[in-house]
Amino acid sequence: MNKRPFVTKEQVEEIAKTYPTPFHIYDEKGIRENVKALKEAFSWNPGYKEYFAVKATPNPFLIDILKEYGCGCDCSSYTELLLSEALDIKGHNIMFSSNDTPAEDFILADKLGAIINLDDITHIDFLEKAIGHIPETISCRYNPGGLIKISNDIMDNPGDAKYGMTPEQITDAFRILKEKGAKEFGIHAFLVSNAVTNDYYPMLAKVLFEQAVRLAEETGVHIKFINLSGGIGIPYRPDQEPNDIYAIGEGVRRVYEEVLVPAGMGDVEIYTELGRYMLGPYGGLVTKAIHEKHTYKEYIGTDACAVNLMRPAMYGAYHHITVLGKEDEPCTYKYDVTGSLCENNDKFAVDRMLPKVDMGDYLFIHDAGAHGFSMGYNYNGKLKSAELLLRENGDVQLIRRAEKPADYFATFDCFPIGEKLIKK
């Protein structure tokens, strides 16, 4: 199995005449087909809603596409809330899930009418003090602790995560919130990241559905929705089998019928907060080979770096690389593919087998559509690259310009030479 880019060498050569590398590019057709499949897979639940995880790819052009299909926004910060508001995504079309949250973030979330998802029982008093009341619709984040297993494979250890409430805490939280005037309740949990298995969501659903039944019985609250959050993964490696969203949706439906319906809770709405799954495979980082080095290893130096895609440097994450125009050539050369940061972990690939890379070749780094551009930073004074959208008709649209030196220096306006720098 091989990964094929959604752009060709010829397309990139033409694009680069206007927008120099490196740049991020997104596939509109793939995005639209994916969101339509997601909605169809969960159409059995009348109240189903996807809240796109803005943190994954905070670009208004892309969020606007998802909005066409009824998606809301999962926000985790003040600026993400502002972005949603600017797109006229307000009210219960926003899910605000945050932790260690500043008061001003809660105030804006409440002003916009967002559903607030509390991470900790102590945040009840903090929220009430910040906004002066408890919203009638509210959610709490649940952490069951222990190890998460699918079959005999350990997927993750929620007990080590900083997020969510224990079973005892969420029970007390629901009682307190009910006493303070809350009328509609939601339960939220995020237990596993990038699960490339159809079994994760049904397993999580069973945990949350059983918890919902217990909470309804013990506290008497009305559970309006259960938020499965994110976690549906994508196959970064070419030998991985992708998730089947229809099988996942059907698995959740079966557990719904098994657990919630017999408990008289067949009206519960199912929400998701997907980011990586929504956009990850439909974005790529395009960079050019500009240096080669032959020392103890063979190196290909690119005009991109970890500023443009931090995941390989931060996590050692695998991102597949295609040398455009050489898709069908044998991968007989072993390279480290690097960027120019003053950090030895600034590598997109280590000991990667590729076709022979010549200077000037364009490399397409796959699956950078989520947690790619958004995790960028300005170390070494590096500037973030442009974002482009490959439209369904083949046109290319600029959806975020590349940073300029003036952007980097803009916050030095308080320094005596600030104006001089900003004009550069």
Side-chain angles (χ1 to χ4, degrees):
M1 182 177 174
N2 194 20
K3 282 180 173 282
R4 306 292 291 198
F6 53 80
V7 287
T8 64
K9 176 185 177 183
E10 291 72 25
Q11 284 177 299
V12 166
E13 286 175 336
E14 191 62 32
I15 293 167
K17 292 176 183 176
T18 305
Y19 306 109
T21 55
F23 54 76
H24 286 262
I25 188 165
Y26 304 91
D27 175 20
E28 180 184 13
K29 181 180 178 183
I31 292 169
R32 289 184 182 276
E33 289 176 352
N34 189 55
V35 68
K36 284 189 281 190
L38 173 70
K39 288 197 65 174
E40 189 176 340
F42 284 90
S43 60
W44 55 266
N45 183 259
Y48 171 73
K49 191 172 185 68
E50 156 63 10
Y51 290 86
F52 172 66
V54 175
K55 65 180 76 66
T57 319
N59 188 295
F61 288 88
L62 302 177
I63 296 171
D64 225 22
I65 292 173
L66 300 179
K67 180 185 172 186
E68 291 181 33
Y69 298 89
C71 296
C73 284
D74 160 38
C75 297
S76 60
S77 70
Y78 192 93
T79 47
E80 290 181 358
L81 288 167
L82 290 178
L83 177 57
S84 298
E85 181 186 23
L87 290 167
D88 200 30
I89 298 172
K90 303 174 185 175
H92 285 188
N93 287 316
I94 299 176
M95 183 73 61
F96 183 66
S97 295
S98 180
N99 67 96
D100 294 327
T101 310
E104 54 266 28
D105 292 27
F106 278 138
I107 292 168
L108 180 56
D110 181 63
K111 176 186 171 186
L112 296 178
I115 299 173
I116 293 174
N117 180 42
L118 295 176
D119 182 64
D120 189 68
I121 190 169
T122 62
H123 295 175
I124 297 173
D125 290 340
F126 187 90
L127 173 67
E128 189 172 31
K129 184 178 178 182
I131 67 174
H133 67 280
I134 292 297
E136 289 192 357
T137 299
I138 198 158
S139 177
C140 288
R141 188 166 183 166
Y142 175 59
N143 184 331
L147 298 175
I148 295 298
K149 292 184 178 181
I150 296 178
S151 298
N152 291 320
D153 295 329
I154 296 175
M155 302 294 292
D156 216 327
N157 183 0
D160 281 346
K162 68 174 182 174
Y163 308 109
M165 307 182 198
T166 67
E168 297 75 21
Q169 287 173 336
I170 197 170
T171 303
D172 290 342
F174 273 29
R175 287 195 177 109
I176 294 167
L177 290 165
K178 182 182 178 185
E179 289 171 4
K180 291 180 177 290
K183 293 182 171 58
E184 304 279 2
F185 289 76
I187 307 173
H188 174 287
F190 181 88
L191 304 185
V192 173
S193 181
N194 196 43
V196 189
T197 167
N198 296 333
D199 296 329
Y200 167 60
Y201 248 25
M203 178 277 297
L204 172 63
K206 192 169 194 298
V207 170
L208 290 182
F209 294 171
E210 290 175 348
Q211 186 65 228
V213 171
R214 183 187 69 80
L215 285 166
E217 290 174 350
E218 293 184 9
T219 67
V221 303
H222 178 244
I223 308 289
K224 176 178 172 59
F225 66 85
I226 293 173
N227 189 336
L228 301 176
S229 188
I232 297 180
I234 62 174
Y236 285 100
R237 295 178 180 273
D239 58 352
Q240 287 180 297
E241 191 70 28
N243 284 322
D244 181 343
I245 197 62
Y246 293 100
I248 291 170
E250 175 60 18
V252 174
R253 186 198 64 78
R254 285 198 300 268
V255 180
Y256 190 99
E257 297 286 340
E258 173 191 328
V259 178
L260 291 180
V261 172
M265 297 174 66
D267 62 340
V268 172
E269 298 173 355
I270 301 300
Y271 300 161
T272 56
E273 291 176 351
L274 300 167
R276 188 195 319 261
Y277 181 80
M278 300 300 290
L279 294 184
Y282 311 108
L285 173 61
V286 178
T287 181
K288 184 190 289 186
I290 59 173
H291 288 288
E292 55 185 327
K293 185 174 182 177
H294 316 284
T295 53
Y296 304 104
K297 302 183 77 173
E298 294 295 303
Y299 295 95
I300 295 296
T302 69
D303 59 4
C305 63
V307 162
N308 309 106
L309 179 63
M310 196 201 304
R311 296 186 72 256
M314 187 174 185
Y315 306 123
Y318 181 95
H319 279 262
H320 199 64
I321 297 175
T322 295
V323 183
L324 293 176
K326 299 180 179 180
E327 289 87 347
D328 298 317
E329 292 187 15
C331 296
T332 52
Y333 289 77
K334 183 188 290 186
Y335 298 110
D336 280 14
V337 181
T338 72
S340 59
L341 291 186
C342 300
E343 296 291 339
N344 195 47
N345 67 346
D346 182 23
K347 297 178 180 180
F348 295 114
V350 175
D351 294 335
R352 185 69 60 86
M353 300 304 296
L354 294 171
K356 185 179 185 303
V357 179
D358 297 304
M359 295 303 91
D361 278 350
Y362 290 105
L363 308 184
F364 183 92
I365 304 179
H366 293 254
D367 301 313
H371 311 290
F373 182 95
S374 65
M375 292 177 72
Y377 56 114
N378 289 119
Y379 182 53
N380 279 182
K382 295 292 185 178
L383 303 176
K384 295 174 75 175
S385 53
E387 289 184 292
L388 310 175
L389 180 62
L390 178 65
R391 305 305 305 248
E392 288 185 289
N393 64 4
D395 291 344
V396 172
Q397 179 182 359
L398 178 68
I399 60 174
R400 190 195 303 259
R401 67 164 173 81
E403 286 185 336
K404 303 173 183 178
D407 299 313
Y408 180 78
F409 294 127
T411 51
F412 289 131
D413 56 1
C414 54
F415 194 71
I417 63 167
E419 280 190 29
K420 186 176 180 181
L421 290 169
I422 292 167
K423 289 177 182 176
K424 294 290 185 182

